[in-house]
Amino acid sequence: MIQMLQVNEPSIHWNLLIDTNELPEIGEVTRTSYQLLDHLVSASIKKFVKEIHLSVEAFLLSGLFILLSKYTRQEEISIGISLEEILDGKVQDIPVYPVVGNVFEDKICMTFYQEIQKECIRSLEEKSAQVAEVCFMKAQQYREESLSGKLAIVMKEEGAGVALIWHYDTTLFTKQVIKRLQRHYQKLLEEMIHKASKSVQTLTMLTEEDSFQIKKHFNKTCKVDTEQTIIQWFEAEVEKNPKGIAAICEEQTITYEQLNEKAN
């Protein structure tokens, strides 16, 4: 169900989602990670969408578009959706309908949510099924073996809360990367409620823990040999601390090793 997108669909630059500090898991091709949204976040989402006449699915899907856009720096992303309550067929029997989101940073958040809901309705009405790299589904029952490929997120109602089951390709994602995606996703959902009238670029996915670690790292002082050129100093740093953070731009980081590879 989750395979390479057709040529006419915008694809996702998966290499930007992979953390080179972590080795991919060996053995299983796909794994599952369960995420139960904080009960206060779940309650806030349900209250918010009711007030603005939006479905919970459209809101969560909007958040997924924004999350992937922030990670990949792509504005146009396609996600396959399926809102069947029971997914119990073979992979090729499960219809997945593409929804394209244009995540422009100057777009007002509320406008974006409404656009995604309209796109979902349009796609489901057209019923033009295609394969997709990323899928978002709502299903109370489904067969795990029916899910394969890069990334599939299944939404389930858990009492008054909302649970998300992340099925991921271990050749692309490690457990740590998925946990970080989940943490940033929940943070974005909170931001999307409080900043609905502001632009997408005002949304942050960094948690307090992330901000603390960044400040802690960049407040460190280091001694520099003044007789070295900047190039010599950089090459020495690559050799001494290849996995260290060399630069940060908003929410993106790059290590000395990665920067050196790009320079060469």
Side-chain angles (χ1 to χ4, degrees), residues 119-256:
E119 279 297 303
C120 287
I121 294 172
R122 179 198 60 75
S123 185
L124 292 171
E125 287 178 345
E126 289 183 359
K127 294 188 179 300
S128 177
Q130 295 183 15
V131 294
E133 291 180 337
V134 184
C135 284
F136 178 86
M137 310 167 192
K138 177 185 178 183
Q140 290 303 108
Q141 300 177 38
Y142 67 97
R143 293 193 313 172
E144 188 170 324
E145 60 268 26
S146 295
L147 306 175
S148 63
K150 294 180 172 60
L151 183 63
I153 300 173
V154 181
M155 170 195 166
K156 295 180 68 176
E157 300 284 347
E158 295 282 354
V162 176
L164 300 168
I165 300 93
W166 298 58
H167 298 266
Y168 60 96
D169 184 340
T170 57
T171 64
L172 286 171
F173 305 103
T174 64
K175 180 179 179 180
Q176 291 78 9
V177 168
I178 292 296
K179 290 296 182 184
R180 184 160 56 249
L181 281 168
Q182 292 173 338
R183 185 175 70 248
H184 289 164
Y185 184 49
Q186 178 164 292
K187 175 62 176 179
L188 269 178
L189 294 176
E190 295 178 55
E191 290 271 303
M192 287 166 61
I193 295 173
H194 302 308
K195 297 180 179 179
S197 61
K198 297 184 178 181
S199 63
V200 171
Q201 66 183 351
T202 65
L203 301 177
T204 180
M205 62 184 181
L206 294 182
T207 63
E208 291 183 4
E209 178 185 353
D210 294 324
S211 299
F212 175 78
Q213 291 298 328
I214 290 173
K215 291 177 182 177
K216 181 180 178 181
H217 176 83
F218 284 97
N219 279 337
K220 289 181 180 179
T221 56
C222 61
K223 295 181 179 180
V224 179
D225 186 350
T226 55
E227 295 184 359
Q228 286 184 316
T229 65
I230 189 66
I231 295 176
Q232 290 173 326
W233 174 86
F234 178 76
E235 290 175 343
E237 198 66 24
V238 171
E239 184 175 347
K240 181 177 65 176
N241 187 26
K243 303 300 182 182
I245 302 298
I248 183 170
C249 178
E250 295 181 354
E251 294 159 352
Q252 301 295 307
T253 60
I254 187 170
T255 65
Y256 287 102

Side-chain angles (χ1 to χ4, degrees), residues 43-69:
S44 297
I45 290 173
K46 291 184 176 182
K47 180 182 177 183
F48 175 71
V49 298
K50 185 176 181 180
E51 292 173 349
I52 63 172
H53 307 292
L54 196 75
S55 69
V56 174
E57 295 84 357
F59 182 78
L60 294 176
L61 184 59
S62 298
L64 184 57
F65 272 111
I66 296 171
L67 177 72
L68 293 177
S69 177

